[in-house]
Amino acid sequence: ETLAEAVPVVQRRIIALCRKYAKPSIVATQMLATMTESPEPTRAEVSDVATAVLMGADCVMLSDETANGRYPLQAVATMKKVVRYTEENAALHDTAHGMHHPHHPAYTEAQPLTKQSAICTAVITLAEQVKASAIVAETRSGATAVYLASRRPIIPVIAVTSDPKVAQQLAIVYGTKNYVRPDSMKQATNLTNWLRQKNVLEKGHIVVTASGKYPGIVGTTDTIKVRILE
């Protein structure tokens, strides 16, 4: 609920704050409204979708275009094409440090460093340095996966949880693929083995895993491992 001319500024501020506090953000600003009646979008609409991606939104959303429109499949295909092209040609970088600059839209006082944030930062830094193919994270509540995604790593995040509802919630989170598996001491390892068997991951790929010694208990992620697949 704001002035139309304020939407771009407010949108940028909200997305930046969501990234800073590890909260998923969805942009649904009549993105492809023309495609409710037309098989083609306008250039302005394409730019609207791309801008949301460049700002770092987790998710872009259609409503009338798919619920009531004449071209629902084309609308989804168009949105996918624009998102993919933007991500491949204008890489989004982590702006966590920039958020503490006075001119950043999400500027506030720096937040206290938590164990979870420290572990997630270490996981991403390590994964990038060893050129990992994926980060596999055990998560009971989804918080670990959401925080990892909020840093917008260039490496895919694979989340494994025992809670189907959490997996469904994580479906809108940036750059994550989610699997439901029973709680176990080797939940991340077992999923990685399964992905290797299915050739999703290949021999020689490096995977960084984040796990805990108390499976199924929220907030117990405390172990980081580097694994070279065979």
Side-chain angles (χ1 to χ4, degrees):
E1 299 289 342
T2 189
L3 298 172
E5 61 270 25
V7 168
V9 175
V10 172
Q11 176 177 316
R12 181 167 180 251
R13 184 174 296 126
I14 291 172
I15 292 172
L17 283 166
C18 285
R19 289 185 58 189
K20 178 174 180 177
Y21 292 100
K23 304 293 182 183
S25 59
I26 303 172
V27 177
T29 51
Q30 299 172 300
M31 304 195 95
L32 297 176
T34 300
M35 294 193 72
T36 305
E37 298 294 336
S38 169
E40 296 290 336
T42 66
R43 292 177 183 269
E45 289 170 339
V46 169
S47 180
D48 194 21
V49 176
T51 297
V53 175
L54 293 171
M55 287 182 181
D58 285 87
C59 185
V60 286
M61 175 179 165
L62 300 171
S63 50
D64 284 351
E65 300 93 331
T66 48
N68 303 315
R70 296 174 60 188
Y71 303 96
L73 297 181
Q74 291 91 328
V76 173
T78 296
M79 177 169 277
K80 178 180 178 179
K81 183 167 64 174
V82 174
V83 170
R84 282 280 178 85
Y85 184 90
T86 305
E87 289 183 337
E88 291 170 1
N89 291 276
L92 181 64
H93 299 291
D94 175 32
T95 58
H97 299 296
M99 289 180 189
H100 299 307
H101 191 281
H103 297 301
H104 193 278
Y107 173 74
T108 58
E109 293 297 321
Q111 299 300 305
L113 187 67
T114 64
K115 184 185 77 169
Q116 181 191 57
S117 66
I119 290 173
C120 290
T121 299
V123 167
I124 293 171
T125 301
L126 180 60
E128 291 177 347
Q129 289 178 345
V130 301
K131 295 180 171 55
S133 298
I135 296 169
V136 179
E138 296 178 6
T139 181
R140 183 64 177 84
S141 67
T144 298
V146 172
Y147 191 91
L148 286 168
S150 74
R151 298 297 300 272
R152 298 299 186 265
I154 59 175
I155 298 165
V157 175
I158 300 173
V160 54
T161 179
S162 60
D163 189 337
K165 182 178 180 180
V166 169
Q168 291 166 352
Q169 292 170 337
L170 290 174
I172 67 167
V173 174
Y174 180 94
T176 64
K177 179 70 175 177
N178 314 298
Y179 293 89
V180 179
R181 294 290 188 276
D183 290 322
S184 74
M185 292 299 293
K186 295 184 178 180
Q187 192 181 44
T189 300
N190 292 339
L191 177 64
T192 305
N193 291 341
W194 183 82
L195 293 171
R196 174 68 185 94
Q197 292 168 6
K198 297 295 182 181
N199 293 319
V200 175
L201 298 171
E202 300 176 3
K203 181 179 180 180
H205 278 183
I206 299 174
V207 174
V208 176
T209 62
S211 59
K213 59 182 177 181
Y214 300 111
I217 305 300
V218 175
T220 58
T221 300
D222 62 1
T223 304
I224 303 170
K225 293 182 180 180
V226 178
R227 180 181 177 192
I228 301 176
L229 301 183
E230 298 180 353

